[in-house]
Amino acid sequence: MSENFPPGFLWGTATAAYQIEGAAREDGRTPSIWDTFSHTPGKTERGDTGDIAVDHYHRRAEDVRMMAGLGVNAYRFSVSWPRVQPTGRGPAVQRGLDFYRALVDDLLGHGIEPVLTLYHWDLPQELEAAGGWPERETAYRFAEYAHCVGEALGDRVTRWTTLNEPWCSAFLGYGSGVHAPGRTDPVAALRAAHHLNLGHGLAARALRAVLPSSGQVAVSLNPAAVRARTGSAGDLNARRRIDALANRIFTGPMLGGAYPKDLFADTARLTDWSFVRAGDEALCRQPLDWLGVNYYQPAVVSEATDPAAERHDGHGVSDHSPWPGAESVAFHRAPGELTGMGWSVDPSGLYDLLTRYSREAPGLPLMITENGAAYDDKPDADGAVHDPDRIRYLHAHLSAVRRAIADGADVRGYFLWSLMDNFEWAYGYGKRFGAVHVDYETQRRTPKSSALWYGRVAATGELPEVPVG
Ligand code: PNW
């Protein structure tokens, strides 16, 4: 029996500016922290950069036509901050905004709902030079940028999100250093987390002030579906610590207006959190229209008996932990087969997160703003790209979404990561997450069999019983 998804469900794909646009030096754009990082030797695989990426900046119209051809009804993209405000400050550059205005008009012209992300990791380098997210000033700059973009596109974009995955920005960017700007300072990472929360609150408020009343404001988090390896007190405590550092550090202030007290206690050796000023936590909590959930794999943790134990957390290789104060926690491989990232395929983590947030934040609709997998996709002799593993991954995760909906979760949409193969951050072009294959020599786009499969699901709103393309 195949049941339908709710009417009005958004079926989309997702991308991010630095991963697809290229045109790094055009129309007044200045370097972001990802330009600086990717041009620093040793930071990305093969020294790959987003200078050209998949040339979306010049292929915008063709890419939108391709999306329309697939049958999806929504598209999540991000705006490049340094295209709009090259110094991270001051009035917006019209040429930068024009690109996004044209993109949105192309989407609307094809009946595709735009979902705009203001920040998907490309901080203007000038703001990093002034201290970046560990500095409070960056939160105010982000709100000013949100105001500029809101004013320019608020007449045609209904759905807005402030940040994408602030956990990655704070802890991979300033903690383990595997993401830009590549700093490895646990206190800077905690300060960054707070200023991202504050930036979210200030930006959400700035958006409300400029958007029409139909405007929707949200945020996309990458909550960890954390499991304890055993039921021992030590393992359960490890789960609590990681839940605090991955999840409640953001949902606490954003949804509840307060940091969890156990987070302060766990990190007391590192900081007294005096950078959190009176009134900040209340500011972080702004009314939201929905919560974006990005999900790839669960996390399995235990109390570390050997602190030097190999890490299986999928967060890249670094001598520095992305978990400040939680050196006593070990990460283990979750059961299940692995994707091309070495991430385990386990849709029950997605079910758990959706039902958790529908319990803990009743009345707040949910949107899966990212879910997908990388595989080593190659065209066969006739040029077609067959990716049965991805079809099985998507089928299994969409089944979990449907099960969560049946159990009461108010899920409004699903966005496959990613529309097309692109610059996978520190892994460069070696990891292909796309539903559409990109030949990086010719920039030729070829929908994989998963794109055709997903397009059918999107067009009918029905999940077939078996995952075959
Ligand atoms: C997300 N981790 O990144 C991002 O939002 C995308 O831009 C990215 O391409 C996609 O997922 C696939 O990686 C993540 O280490 C990067 O847990 C790293 C982690 C999680 C998400």
Side-chain angles (χ1 to χ4, degrees):
M1 192 194 57
S2 66
E3 285 156 58
N4 293 345
F5 282 81
F9 198 77
L10 293 183
W11 292 99
T13 62
T15 62
Y18 189 70
Q19 295 181 273
I20 65 166
E21 286 180 0
R25 294 178 187 287
E26 282 174 54
D27 293 338
R29 183 187 179 283
T30 56
S32 74
I33 54 175
W34 267 97
D35 295 270
T36 308
F37 187 77
S38 65
H39 279 272
T40 304
K43 297 299 185 187
T44 65
E45 298 280 336
R46 296 166 301 277
D48 287 351
T49 74
D51 287 1
I52 297 171
V54 294
D55 197 34
H56 172 70
Y57 193 73
H58 300 120
R59 293 165 195 263
R60 180 200 86 234
E62 159 196 347
D63 286 340
V64 174
R65 277 197 299 277
M66 176 176 77
M67 264 183 255
L70 295 179
V72 292
N73 64 13
Y75 176 56
R76 172 176 180 255
F77 64 94
S78 79
V79 172
S80 159
W81 188 347
R83 267 192 212 292
V84 170
Q85 287 186 315
T87 64
R89 299 179 169 84
V93 169
Q94 281 313 313
R95 279 170 302 169
L97 290 169
D98 287 347
F99 171 76
Y100 298 103
R101 208 177 273 119
L103 170 64
V104 168
D105 287 348
D106 285 349
L107 291 166
L108 294 172
H110 283 93
I112 300 174
E113 181 67 29
V115 179
L116 184 154
T117 300
L118 284 168
Y119 185 72
H120 201 127
W121 308 354
D122 43 359
L123 186 73
Q125 182 60 42
E126 279 208 26
L127 293 185
E128 177 58 28
W133 286 110
E135 293 307 317
R136 189 176 179 89
E137 179 66 10
T138 304
Y140 294 107
R141 297 282 65 80
F142 181 58
E144 186 187 272
Y145 157 69
H147 173 89
C148 288
V149 183
E151 210 167 44
L153 301 178
D155 61 338
R156 57 197 84 195
V157 175
T158 301
R159 293 172 164 85
W160 294 74
T161 65
T162 55
L163 305 171
N164 175 71
E165 302 189 353
W167 183 85
C168 292
S169 297
F171 297 106
L172 301 182
Y174 296 91
S176 68
V178 300
H179 279 186
R183 287 164 61 182
T184 54
D185 170 352
V187 177
L190 293 170
R191 293 174 59 100
H194 177 57
H195 297 130
L196 284 153
N197 277 324
L198 183 62
H200 158 79
L202 294 167
R205 195 175 65 174
L207 283 176
R208 291 289 181 201
V210 291
L211 296 184
S213 59
S214 56
Q216 301 181 3
V217 178
V219 62
S220 287
L221 304 178
N222 59 318
V226 203
R227 300 191 178 139
R229 186 164 64 160
T230 75
S232 74
D235 289 359
L236 293 174
N237 191 47
R239 181 178 70 183
R240 179 197 58 72
R241 291 184 80 119
I242 297 306
D243 183 50
L245 275 170
N247 302 333
R248 291 180 286 118
I249 189 173
F250 300 108
T251 55
M254 286 182 183
L255 304 181
Y259 281 101
K261 293 288 166 283
D262 58 329
L263 171 71
F264 288 169
D266 288 346
T267 52
R269 272 190 299 112
L270 294 168
T271 173
D272 63 4
W273 289 79
S274 53
F275 48 85
V276 178
R277 299 193 189 161
D280 281 7
E281 289 161 285
L283 257 175
C284 296
R285 180 193 198 172
Q286 296 294 323
L288 297 180
D289 292 288
W290 42 272
L291 176 67
V293 171
N294 294 358
Y295 175 78
Y296 291 92
Q297 65 161 352
V300 179
V301 301
S302 71
E303 184 178 31
T305 39
D306 171 11
E310 199 195 330
R311 307 178 66 88
H312 287 286
D313 60 1
H315 299 114
V317 178
S318 167
D319 294 336
H320 300 270
S321 168
W323 305 107
E327 293 74 20
S328 63
V329 175
F331 285 78
H332 307 274
R333 215 185 267 311
E337 55 180 273
L338 302 181
T339 69
M341 295 292 283
W343 295 354
S344 71
V345 179
D346 185 348
S348 66
L350 179 55
Y351 174 88
D352 292 348
L353 289 171
L354 295 173
T355 50
R356 172 184 183 174
Y357 289 115
S358 70
R359 267 195 319 275
E360 291 185 359
L364 181 63
L366 303 171
M367 192 90 84
I368 295 138
T369 38
E370 285 182 26
N371 176 238
Y375 289 104
D376 189 15
D377 309 306
K378 292 191 182 75
D380 60 21
D382 61 5
V385 185
H386 292 286
D387 56 344
D389 290 339
R390 184 171 288 100
I391 294 177
R392 283 191 294 115
Y393 182 98
L394 297 174
H395 184 274
H397 286 78
L398 285 167
S399 301
V401 174
R402 202 173 49 179
R403 195 157 61 84
I405 293 173
D407 291 346
D410 183 5
V411 184
R412 303 289 178 92
Y414 175 92
F415 291 78
L416 189 169
W417 184 272
S418 176
L419 169 64
M420 53 190 161
D421 294 336
N422 60 47
F423 176 76
E424 178 49 32
W425 306 114
Y427 297 92
Y429 298 98
K431 303 291 183 195
R432 294 179 175 273
F433 270 93
V436 172
H437 181 272
V438 178
D439 177 327
Y440 295 122
E441 298 288 310
T442 62
Q443 295 292 352
R444 188 186 152 86
R445 278 87 160 122
T446 306
K448 303 175 191 177
S449 46
S450 63
L452 307 176
W453 180 88
Y454 181 65
R456 267 197 310 277
V457 175
T460 59
E462 248 184 64
L463 196 58
E465 242 166 279
V466 278
V468 283

